[in-house]
Amino acid sequence: MKPDATNNQMLLQWHDGLLLGYQPMDTVHEEFVQAVHALQTAPDVELPMLLTQLINHTIRHFSEEDHWMESTQFPARECHINEHAAVMKSMREVQDLLSAGHTTMCRRLAQELANWFPGHADYLDSALAHW
């Protein structure tokens, strides 16, 4: 992540350290990182559109990973799938708040996703990629 001097947040950016070695997963992860970065750096007027795009991407992203885990009987699937569900729940709640004009909550979500994703990828997704 790279610091953003304008508001002291860490910007999520794609780098080779996020590669897990399973190309389909790496591709979808790069798209996720780009979507979070766009949300972090967008003007307020673009937040509703970008959050919708991020949610649509994440639905596909998590559904694909959940399918891989179920179809291969991945041992840690329950924990991983539950984490996906919790993230989606938070995203939808923030989308509702954003529709009521709460841009600060959307910015906070973007930062929380930027903080969460590297650890999630390194711990849970790397195990799935290896499996």
Side-chain angles (χ1 to χ4, degrees):
M1 285 196 280
K2 174 180 144 184
D4 175 9
T6 60
N7 58 10
N8 293 325
Q9 71 176 350
M10 295 301 289
L11 296 177
L12 183 61
Q13 294 185 312
W14 183 254
H15 56 85
D16 287 350
L18 294 172
L19 290 169
L20 299 177
Y22 181 56
Q23 192 274 326
M25 187 179 286
D26 288 335
T27 298
V28 78
H29 282 179
E30 185 172 4
E31 292 167 357
F32 179 82
V33 166
Q34 290 169 349
V36 170
H37 181 84
L39 197 62
Q40 287 182 291
T41 58
D44 287 353
V45 69
E46 293 179 15
L47 292 177
M49 174 194 65
L50 291 172
L51 181 57
T52 297
Q53 289 175 355
L54 176 61
I55 288 172
N56 290 338
H57 162 84
T58 306
I59 290 168
R60 291 186 307 274
H61 172 170
F62 288 175
S63 292
E64 186 172 39
E65 287 185 11
D66 292 354
H67 172 73
W68 291 335
M69 288 185 279
E70 292 291 349
S71 67
T72 65
Q73 296 297 295
F74 179 64
R77 67 187 172 276
E78 185 176 344
C79 173
H80 197 153
I81 290 169
N82 288 343
E83 189 166 306
H84 285 169
V87 170
M88 286 306 311
K89 181 178 184 284
S90 294
M91 292 172 90
R92 291 185 190 286
E93 288 172 353
V94 170
Q95 188 176 40
D96 290 343
L97 291 168
L98 182 59
S99 69
H102 298 282
T103 58
T104 303
M105 291 306 293
C106 185
R107 300 252 179 234
R108 183 171 169 205
L109 171 70
Q111 186 58 51
E112 291 302 322
L113 290 171
N115 295 340
W116 165 80
F117 179 73
H120 176 82
D122 189 47
Y123 181 66
L124 292 177
D125 287 341
S126 66
L128 178 58
H130 180 73
W131 179 258

